[in-house]
Amino acid sequence: MINIAIDGPSASGKSTIAKQLAKKLGYIHIDTGAMYRAVALECLNRNVDLDNETACYDVARVSDISLKTDGSIFVNGDDVSRLIRTDAVSQGASKVSKFKSVRELLVDKQRKIAAKKGFVLDGRDITSVVLPDAEVKIYQTADVAVRAKRRFDELSAAGFDVNYDSLFDELVERDERDMNRSESPLVKVADALEINTTHLSVDEVVNLVMGYIESRGLND
Ligand code: DC
């Protein structure tokens, strides 16, 4: 068994692809963004200032975050899978993820989970920091307008009241923050396969990655 690491900007479809790959391979998908979102949600619930590193770290440290194999996420025993998808939490996650102490805590957790192999992790620093030795590394992108549309469709379908223009603006703002922060910014590592999904369907992307795995003799 191997590990598959997927990075890329917000709403580039990483989790969708990671989920499908995990299903095909019988692996477990770990949405690391959901962990940063869970910390942000807890901070918001406790009225903690999202610009205060020590306060955010304290919340992260005492929060029991657990990811279930069905993709749901629990914090201190409560299912927060839906609550972490709001705009406020998206922005909050991008803020708390700037902090070194918060990152170290979650990165450590992610590495421990993936140590056994057989995982597909997606996020911003998986190929560069969390699993630099992952057998397969993917950098997944898409044009920002397409990403905003996908996020709009996904949230609308889930019953959220969303506005395309504000989703677009928020994506631009988050890209800027995620790519330019000093701690583990989003980068494309040299040995990652870059896939621009702007004009590709989910199946096309999944087939591309499966072909890549096969071509490297990594399928067991
Ligand atoms: O993938 P997402 O949109 O759910 O991620 C939410 C935020 O968390 C995103 O703005 C950046 C941050 N993040 C991160 O810094 N490192 C990760 N491995 C995953 C997410």
Side-chain angles (χ1 to χ4, degrees):
M1 277 199 293
I2 60 169
N3 277 333
I4 302 174
I6 308 179
D7 284 325
S10 302
S12 53
K14 301 180 297 291
S15 284
T16 305
I17 299 303
K19 245 179 243 145
Q20 296 284 329
L21 286 171
K23 202 167 153 195
K24 265 195 190 290
L25 294 161
Y27 283 14
I28 294 172
H29 167 224
I30 303 291
D31 173 359
T32 64
M35 297 167 84
Y36 289 93
R37 287 172 179 270
V39 172
L41 175 70
E42 269 301 291
C43 289
L44 290 167
N45 285 345
R46 296 167 184 235
N47 285 319
V48 161
D49 177 5
L50 294 171
D51 293 314
N52 180 335
E53 173 160 8
T54 315
C56 291
Y57 171 71
D58 283 342
V59 170
R61 201 170 41 80
V62 299
S63 300
D64 174 24
I65 299 170
S66 68
L67 294 164
K68 308 290 176 198
T69 44
D70 67 357
S72 58
I73 178 162
F74 284 67
V75 179
N76 301 329
D78 294 329
D79 185 348
V80 296
S81 314
R82 192 176 159 83
L83 294 172
I84 59 164
R85 298 293 160 198
T86 64
D87 286 353
V89 175
S90 298
Q91 288 299 329
S94 178
K95 285 188 174 176
V96 300
S97 63
K98 280 188 319 201
F99 299 137
K100 187 171 192 231
S101 54
V102 174
R103 299 202 68 83
E104 281 175 353
L105 197 81
L106 296 187
V107 166
D108 186 53
K109 211 173 152 79
Q110 293 154 11
R111 284 189 180 138
K112 282 187 179 129
I113 294 173
K116 286 193 228 94
K117 303 272 180 185
F119 290 85
V120 186
L121 273 73
D122 76 277
R124 303 294 185 292
D125 62 340
I126 311 302
T127 57
S128 57
V129 177
V130 180
L131 301 176
D133 297 328
E135 290 80 356
V136 171
K137 300 184 201 173
I138 308 289
Y139 186 78
Q140 191 170 323
T141 61
D143 291 352
V144 64
V146 168
R147 290 191 276 130
K149 172 79 168 64
R150 287 181 189 158
R151 186 52 49 98
F152 177 84
D153 290 344
E154 183 184 297
L155 290 172
S156 306
F160 287 101
D161 183 18
V162 278
N163 173 283
Y164 173 83
D165 291 334
S166 44
L167 280 178
F168 183 99
D169 292 345
E170 278 162 18
L171 276 184
V172 171
E173 198 184 312
R174 277 213 283 157
D175 282 356
E176 157 72 22
R177 209 184 288 130
D178 298 344
M179 290 174 182
N180 297 304
R181 67 187 180 209
S182 56
E183 290 303 322
S184 315
L186 170 64
V187 289
K188 180 198 166 301
V189 296
D191 56 347
L193 171 72
E194 181 164 354
I195 305 178
N196 185 325
T197 69
T198 304
H199 302 294
L200 298 179
S201 68
V202 170
D203 282 351
E204 284 170 327
V205 180
V206 170
N207 289 337
L208 227 149
V209 179
M210 291 300 289
Y212 180 63
I213 294 172
E214 255 164 56
S215 73
R216 298 185 52 219
L218 293 168
N219 45 322
D220 32 53

